[in-house]
């Protein structure tokens, strides 16, 4: 593996690093007596520095410079090296300004008189500064080294230098700079040495580790998994493979994925015990990591046994009073108290430990110690001390990790909970700050990777905290308007947050610098490439990871995006007319008892003028049971029971409402709200103009009937498809698209019709450009989970023409990459097109989320199978109402009322009730 400091000084011959100092050997042929004096001074400088006698080391270094200047001349390489030694001694003594000026002058002169020796001297000077605790001064020296070496082209030593510089920036917690240098190192090693060398693997793993240390697991995991996989394949069971397993497990543990981290840490521990020995430092690290995994898996007794082994080994090899032995023993004892593994007891004086933390060094151990002290204060029934210690742990976490690190967010959660328990005036502000930092962190993570599994994993980690925020807001909202506003903000910002993030990035793209716009274009192009049949997905996704991470580094944390997202529900409601209302649902895990978390349904009712009320509708499990069968929602009895749980509790608050927008969440996205059956046996749509929106943002400005795009004036009709024998024909789709085409022509809207073998994906995509409406009359599909197809976007789609190597399947994954931004309406007159998998990131992952991602303003889809003939009749009437001047939303409702009130025959209830219009 690349060594952070050693390899460059080993591979580049020249200056030597001795005791952290930089010297050059006395030149052959120089006067003998000065040579002996030179050696004596070198030794004396090293001794003074090692013993901390800073002033003496400076004076001896000045004497060395004077000696070499007098004998060898001011421009001799050895003299310049002595000046660099003096600069380091000055740095140690706190004389930074003089040290840097002396160093820069020496480097400038070396570049002129001995350019071949400049790189190793730069390298060793940087290392000496880093080793003596001056990383900020080491950075410009490394930067100069990079510039000098880059002039000779790419080389392994240059890659090592970028790797070392990345490690230096990481030690300084300048993670953006570390990531940039680490990416250069990884790419350079791969080009020069190949993908499976130890250096390349180590550089990729180090880049992932840096992302993890920066609190960015979505960007970290793809790199760490790649490094671990490559190490296993290329190196087999080895020290490097175990190092990568250890780093991957650390990020999984941060995400609470202890079940995935545990086998990685156990494998590393077993290998290290057998190959490095039980007392090796790396073995002890693996044992402690495995213990932490076991604690997360509620296996505290096993964890205690491992801790005992580590402490016993440290006591035997380093001594019982060694700081590391005492630290791990204290950690063991505190965790034993917190997990109940210790029957009672108190690991030391908590007040004394708190005082040490307040005055001591801020590091990760201090953060975790403060947090454990707070937990012990809780167990002892001392809430004031608990709150004080949680505040301390948050302060330490922000100073060490930064405010948007998962550890800091966890500590902020603890503070908010403690404020709530004590009913302090700071509880609502604490929860508001928590929501903001959680949102900013999640936004950055969603922008960091296209790996859907990783994104879902990141999103899942936010759920319990969101539930905590909403639980507090629901309880405190009766007396605190700020708590109501907090709940409204969550409802607005956490519906399909992945789509929202992409939309914000798209909106901001026009204002980005040219380099960032190029990154956006590259990401879209690579995404499209990865979806093509026969594509080398692994190679493409590697490039995609890097491009997305680079864009996220530059864009996603910008406050400008936060400002664009800072829309307030009060502003939205203030534009409502008196008869408007919104029901915004959210399903979240809520703590119902200290040992019981339950997924529940909260709904926010918003009315004109900003009036907001909250309701707890009970457990999600009740709806899950009713929706267990994919076709259950089509049954009238199911729709009655869903009405009773989801609408009836708030119905008395809807007096005077004639237009109601429902914003569902997760599983509720599959509920056919407009045709739920009320107590009188009528579907809701009969008495209410009921609309569906993916987010309350769709209602911004109060314009529920979104205007048509006057810059677009065409409709693309796809139907009467020749499936090439891959699916049964749909005879009524020919009449459907022909009838709509005639209606469009009569209204002055030019239609484009693709049918038969012309209805292929490529032709459809090309013809979609610039259209106002896209209409597909074809087969739709949503396949259940099966081996090899775990992504719902690959299992949802519509069928188009097949042949000449094209299977005719247009999946949601492909559709999501189409440039459909600004299209008014996409109609999928096909079975099951509103289906999908529940998603923490998209609400429902399938065609609905794909169309929203592609930029479509609204989608008309079917929740379950529909009749070919009935769908054709329904759609013909819908376009008749559009031609008569009604809005999309108005035409959709009027068409359903036409069937319900007998004005449109031949459309079965199973068909007209299936269709839903979703505002994106």
């Amino acid at each position: 593996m690349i060594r952070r400091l050693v390899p460059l000084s080993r591979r580049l011959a020249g200056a030597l690093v001795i005791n952290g100092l930089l010297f050059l050997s006395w030149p052959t042929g120089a006067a003998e007596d000065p040579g002996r004096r030179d050696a004596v001074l070198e030794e004396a400088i090293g001794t003074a520095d090692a013993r901390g006698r800073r002033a003496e080391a400076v004076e001896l270094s000045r004497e060395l410079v004077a000696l070499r200047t007098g004998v060898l001349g001011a421009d001799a390489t050895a003299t310049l090296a002595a000046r660099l030694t003096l600069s380091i001694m000055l740095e140690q003594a706190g004389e930074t300004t003089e040290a840097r000026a002396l160093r820069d002058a020496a480097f400038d002169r070396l570049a002129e008189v001995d350019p071949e020796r400049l790189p190793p001297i730069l390298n060793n000077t940087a290392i000496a500064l880093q080793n003596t605790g001056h990383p900020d001064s080491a950075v410009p020296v490394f930067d100069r080294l990079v510039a000098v070496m880059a002039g000779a082209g790419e080389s392994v030593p240059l890659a090592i230098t970028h790797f070392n510089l990345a490690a230096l920036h990481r030690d300084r917690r300048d993670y953006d700079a570390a990531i940039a240098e680490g990416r250069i190192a990884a790419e350079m090693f791969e080009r020069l040495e190949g993908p499976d060398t130890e250096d390349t693997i180590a550089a990729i793993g180090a880049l992932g580790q840096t992302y993890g240390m920066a609190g960015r697991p979505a960007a970290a995991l793809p790199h760490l998994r790649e490094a671990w996989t490559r190490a296993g394949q290329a190196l087999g069971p080895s020290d490097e493979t175990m190092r990568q397993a250890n780093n991957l497990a650390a990020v999984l543990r941060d995400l609470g994925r202890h079940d995935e981290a545990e086998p990685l840490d156990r494998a590393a521990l077993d290998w290290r015990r057998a190959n490095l020995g039980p007392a090796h430092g790396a073995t002890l690290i693996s044992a402690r990591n495995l213990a932490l995994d076991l604690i997360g898996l509620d296996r505290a007794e096993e964890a205690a046994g491992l801790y005992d082994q580590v402490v016993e080994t440290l006591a035997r090899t380093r001594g019982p009073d060694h700081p590391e032995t005492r630290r791990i023993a204290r950690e063991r004892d505190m965790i034993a108290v917190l997990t109940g593994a210790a029957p009672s007891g108190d690991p030391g004086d908590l007040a004394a430990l708190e005082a040490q933390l307040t005055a001591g060094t801020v590091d990760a151990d201090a953060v975790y110690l403060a947090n454990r002290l707070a937990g012990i204060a809780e167990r002892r029934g001392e809430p004031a001390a608990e709150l004080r210690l949680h505040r301390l742990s948050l302060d330490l976490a922000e100073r060490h990790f930064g405010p948007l690190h998962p550890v800091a967010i966890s500590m902020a959660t603890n503070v908010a909970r403690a404020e709530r328990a004590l009913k302090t005036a700071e509880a609502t502000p604490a929860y508001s700050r928590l929501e903001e930092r959680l949102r900013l962190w999640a936004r950055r993570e969603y922008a960091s990777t296209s790996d859907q599994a990783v994104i879902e994993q990141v999103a899942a980690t936010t759920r319990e905290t969101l539930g905590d925020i909403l639980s507090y807001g629901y309880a405190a909202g009766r007396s605190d308007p700020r708590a109501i506003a907090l709940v409204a903000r969550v409802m607005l910002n956490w519906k399909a947050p992945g789509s929202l993030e992409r939309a914000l990035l798209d909106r901001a793209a026009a204002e980005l610098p040219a380099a960032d716009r190029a990154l956006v274009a590259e990401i879209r192009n690579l995404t499209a490439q990865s979806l093509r049949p026969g594509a080398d997905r692994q190679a493409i996704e590697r490039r995609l990871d890097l491009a997305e991470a680079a864009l996220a580094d530059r864009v996603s944390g910008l406050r400008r995006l936060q400002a664009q997202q800072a829309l307030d529900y009060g502003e939205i409601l203030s534009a409502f007319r008196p008869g408007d209302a919104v029901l915004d649902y959210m399903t979240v895990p809520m703590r119902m008892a200290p040992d019981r978390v339950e997924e529940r349904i909260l709904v926010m009712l918003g009315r004109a003028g900003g009036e907001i009320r909250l309701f707890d509708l009970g457990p999600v499990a009740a709806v899950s049971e009713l929706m267990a069968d994919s076709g259950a929602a089509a049954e009238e009895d199911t729709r009655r029971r869903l009405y009773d749980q989801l609408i009836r509790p708030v119905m008395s608050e809807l007096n005077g409402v004639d237009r109601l927008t429902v914003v569902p969440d997760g599983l509720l996205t599959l509920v056919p709200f407009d045709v739920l059956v009320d107590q009188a046996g009528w579907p809701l749509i009969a008495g209410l103009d009921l609309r569906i929106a993916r987010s309350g943002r769709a209602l911004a400005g109060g314009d529920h009937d979104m205007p048509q795009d006057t810059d677009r004036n065409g409709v693309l009709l796809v139907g009467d498809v020749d499936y090439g024998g891959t699916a049964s024909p749909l005879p009524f789709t020919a009449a459907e698209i022909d009838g709509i085409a005639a209606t469009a022509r009569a209204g002055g809207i030019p239609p484009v019709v693709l049918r038969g073998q012309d209805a292929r994906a490529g032709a459809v995509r090309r013809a979609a450009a610039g259209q106002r409406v896209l209409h597909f009359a074809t087969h739709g599909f949503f396949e259940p989970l099966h081996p090899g197809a775990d992504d719902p976007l690959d299992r949802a789609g519509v069928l188009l023409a097949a042949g000449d190597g094209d299977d005719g399947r247009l999946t949601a994954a492909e559709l999501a990459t189409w440039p459909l931004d600004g299209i008014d309406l996409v109609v999928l007159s096909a079975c099951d097109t509103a289906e999908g998998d529940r998603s923490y990131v998209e609400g429902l992952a399938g065609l609905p989320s794909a169309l929203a991602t592609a930029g479509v303003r609204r989608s008309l889809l079917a929740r379950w199978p529909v009749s070919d003939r009935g769908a054709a009749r329904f759609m013909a009437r819908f376009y008749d109402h559009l031609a008569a001047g009604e809005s999309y939303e108005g035409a959709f409702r009027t068409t359903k009322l036409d069937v319900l009130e007998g004005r449109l025959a031949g459309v079965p209830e199973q068909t007209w009730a299936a269709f839903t219009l979703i505002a994106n």
Side-chain angles (χ1 to χ4, degrees), residues 495-543:
K495 291 296 181 62
S499 292
L500 176 60
E501 171 62 20
R502 284 189 294 272
L504 287 169
L505 286 172
D506 285 345
R507 194 178 308 156
E511 304 170 28
L512 296 177
D516 291 347
R517 288 200 301 275
L519 272 173
V520 172
E522 181 183 0
I523 287 167
R524 287 174 173 156
N525 179 51
L526 289 170
T527 301
Q529 287 183 37
S530 71
L531 296 169
R532 290 173 187 154
D536 184 352
R537 287 198 176 194
Q538 186 175 9
I540 293 170
E541 287 172 3
R542 167 79 177 129
R543 293 164 58 201

Side-chain angles (χ1 to χ4, degrees), residues 723-770:
Y723 301 113
T726 62
S728 59
L730 294 174
F732 287 96
T733 61
E736 181 174 339
I737 61 172
D738 288 341
I740 296 169
T743 302
R745 289 190 193 94
I749 298 176
V752 175
V753 179
L754 293 178
R755 64 199 321 148
Q757 277 288 305
D758 292 332
R760 297 198 179 196
V764 173
R765 177 170 181 163
R766 289 189 295 273

Side-chain angles (χ1 to χ4, degrees), residues 665-709:
D665 180 44
L667 178 67
L668 304 186
T669 310
L670 297 173
V671 172
F673 279 94
D674 57 345
V675 291
L676 296 186
V677 179
D678 65 16
Q679 294 162 287
W682 287 93
L684 279 177
I685 199 171
L688 281 172
D689 182 359
L690 193 145
R691 281 88 181 286
I692 303 294
R694 280 173 60 85
S695 166
R697 293 171 180 276
L699 309 177
D703 190 0
H704 295 229
D705 294 328
M706 294 172 67
Q708 297 184 1
D709 189 340

Side-chain angles (χ1 to χ4, degrees), residues 17 149 324 406 415 513 561 569 585 619 639 713 870:
V17 176
M149 297 179 72
E324 185 69 4
V415 168
L561 287 183
Y569 232 129
Y585 293 83
R639 288 186 274 134
N713 195 34

Side-chain angles (χ1 to χ4, degrees), residues 454-477:
V454 172
I455 294 174
E456 289 291 341
Q457 191 172 73
V458 169
T461 66
T462 69
R463 299 301 291 178
E464 187 170 346
T465 303
L466 282 176
D468 207 47
I469 295 169
L470 288 175
S471 172
Y472 169 77
Y474 177 72

